[in-house]
Amino acid sequence: MKRALITGITGQDGSYLADLLLAKGYEVHGIIRRSSTFNTSRIDHIYQDPHVDDKRLTLHYGDLTDSVNMVKLLYQLEVDEIYHLGAQSHVRVSFDIPEYTGDTCGMSAIRILEAIREAGLAKRTRFYQASSSEMFGKVHETPQKETTPFHPRSPYGCAKVFAYHLTVNYRESYGLHASNGILFNHESPRRGETFVTRKITRAATRIKMGLQDALYLGNLDAKRDWGYAPEYVEAMWLMLQQDKPDDYVIATGETHTIKEFCEAAFGRLDLDWQEYVKYDERYERPAEVDLLLGDPAKAKKQLNWEPKVLFKELAEIMVDADLELAKKEKAHLEAEKALS
């Protein structure tokens, strides 16, 4: 039985990756931060699944800023694969907390890579670094591929570039099986509600149910390459199954504006988005990334991976899931009102 460690296991990607690895028979370990309330809603279903032995999923308290804890954990677990997904991952927020973003997105990678060496696992453990299309930033060519120069436009993007090059450096210097997945935007019903796609689908469904009046957004003309998160975590796994480590762009090869996502989401509900979406300059970034469009040709050829869920279906999946949430929310409010 293979043993894997996931940082960021309670996030969108971490939860889908846990599902995938458990389905493949792995023993899965995840790192979670200690807090006053539980934040495990995305993985709670695993413990309720009668087909999954919950002993194969173990959560450990830890923090990406604590290198000693990481070394101790790797000595204890001797994992076969590490998927480093944890980070302060909100691009706009990275401008407000740049130092913390740099610590969790950049320095965390070197802590894990050094922990692998310190624990004597350099020949055993395979490492996946969650790189990002935000590293391309002010793009130098379109579409963006593995050889496209980086020009990050946010503290988040800068930190990810640092972690990317560290991963390559440790691969070349110490022979680690360390790979970068340069994932373009990928969404799902598990996406955090402060990210623009989920913000749109949550608002659209709440407006449909009479729970909200308007949605406030920033730049509607930014273009992104949006894919489906469960498919993207499969690409992560495929990278660590290769004989040799490498770096891969994971994308759909299509780009759409935020305005188009609004059209698709509200249209699914027979609503005109222009009646409800309002502009708010507070959501503008100090430096904008205008266009991201990935070329997944290398992943298709070497990993035999390609996306199946594309833009329109993705928006529909997210809207349908959030509509169920909005219906439950309305029913709960009506029940409370009846009792009062």
Side-chain angles (χ1 to χ4, degrees):
M1 183 185 296
K2 282 188 177 181
R3 184 178 298 160
L5 175 66
I6 303 173
T7 71
I9 193 171
T10 59
Q12 170 189 253
D13 291 6
S15 65
Y16 282 122
L17 181 60
D19 288 339
L20 177 70
L21 296 181
L22 288 167
K24 291 183 178 295
Y26 278 63
E27 177 184 316
V28 176
H29 295 260
I31 297 175
I32 61 172
R33 286 173 293 173
R34 177 71 179 93
S35 66
S36 59
T37 57
F38 287 109
N39 181 31
T40 58
S41 59
R42 293 186 181 95
I43 56 174
D44 285 344
H45 67 279
I46 294 173
Y47 293 102
Q48 300 162 6
D49 188 342
H51 300 101
V52 176
D53 179 0
D54 60 9
K55 293 179 181 178
R56 289 200 290 117
L57 174 62
T58 306
L59 302 180
H60 305 265
Y61 286 122
D63 195 286
L64 296 176
T65 63
D66 186 349
S67 58
V68 175
N69 175 262
M70 184 61 66
V71 172
K72 289 167 63 178
L73 196 57
L74 292 192
Y75 268 118
Q76 172 191 343
L77 297 178
E78 296 186 340
V79 295
D80 300 291
E81 298 171 3
I82 297 176
Y83 296 87
H84 180 30
L85 313 182
Q88 190 300 102
S89 59
H90 198 287
V91 178
R92 177 62 188 84
V93 172
S94 76
F95 287 98
D96 300 323
I97 48 173
E99 182 180 346
Y100 178 73
T101 301
D103 204 358
T104 60
C105 295
M107 288 301 296
S108 61
I110 203 167
R111 292 186 185 108
I112 298 173
L113 290 165
E114 274 296 290
I116 292 171
R117 294 182 62 228
E118 174 63 29
L121 299 174
K123 298 301 180 184
R124 170 177 176 167
T125 301
R126 298 186 173 194
F127 175 77
Y128 171 85
Q129 166 60 26
S131 291
S132 168
S133 59
E134 288 288 332
M135 300 189 305
F136 295 120
K138 190 175 182 179
V139 298
H140 289 220
E141 64 178 349
T142 299
Q144 295 87 53
K145 47 186 180 288
E146 291 80 6
T147 56
T148 302
F150 299 138
H151 189 150
R153 300 269 281 172
S154 66
Y156 171 80
C158 292
K160 285 293 187 179
V161 170
F162 176 66
Y164 170 93
H165 284 299
L166 276 172
T167 301
V168 173
N169 183 255
Y170 272 66
R171 181 170 73 212
E172 296 176 351
S173 300
Y174 304 112
L176 267 67
H177 193 296
S179 297
N180 282 289
I182 308 173
L183 272 58
F184 281 63
N185 293 64
H186 46 289
E187 320 297 318
S188 75
R190 297 185 194 175
R191 188 60 143 152
E193 294 183 19
T194 60
F195 291 85
V196 68
T197 51
R198 187 77 196 288
K199 186 176 178 181
I200 291 167
T201 59
R202 279 290 283 148
T205 54
R206 295 186 84 249
I207 288 169
K208 182 69 174 181
M209 298 306 298
L211 299 169
Q212 185 171 328
D213 296 324
L215 166 63
Y216 293 89
L217 297 174
N219 180 14
L220 296 178
D221 296 317
K223 294 182 178 180
R224 295 292 183 268
D225 185 327
W226 278 302
Y228 188 40
E231 296 179 350
Y232 282 44
V233 301
E234 183 180 9
M236 300 176 190
W237 177 78
L238 286 169
M239 290 178 210
L240 296 199
Q241 311 316 305
Q242 305 305 303
D243 292 335
K244 296 181 179 180
D246 208 340
D247 309 314
Y248 299 89
V249 163
I250 304 299
T252 68
E254 295 183 2
T255 190
H256 298 271
T257 63
I258 293 172
K259 185 184 297 182
E260 287 178 89
F261 198 93
C262 288
E263 291 172 348
F266 279 83
R268 178 70 169 173
L269 301 165
D270 295 319
L271 296 174
D272 181 355
W273 70 274
Q274 295 182 82
E275 294 182 17
Y276 305 100
V277 176
K278 314 296 182 184
Y279 173 74
D280 190 330
E281 64 179 8
R282 292 177 299 174
Y283 296 114
E284 293 277 4
R285 300 180 186 180
E288 183 58 82
V289 174
D290 296 315
L291 166 65
L292 292 175
L293 173 61
D295 179 1
K298 181 178 177 180
K300 289 182 180 180
K301 180 178 180 181
Q302 294 184 205
L303 303 179
N304 195 29
W305 177 92
E306 60 180 311
K308 298 178 180 64
V309 175
L310 299 179
F311 179 76
K312 185 175 184 293
E313 185 180 357
L314 172 63
E316 291 175 351
I317 289 171
M318 294 178 67
V319 168
D320 292 350
D322 278 335
L323 183 59
E324 292 306 309
L325 287 181
K327 288 178 179 178
K328 290 178 182 178
E329 182 182 357
K330 184 173 183 178
H332 178 72
L333 291 172
E334 289 176 345
E336 283 189 334
K337 186 177 180 181
L339 289 173
S340 64

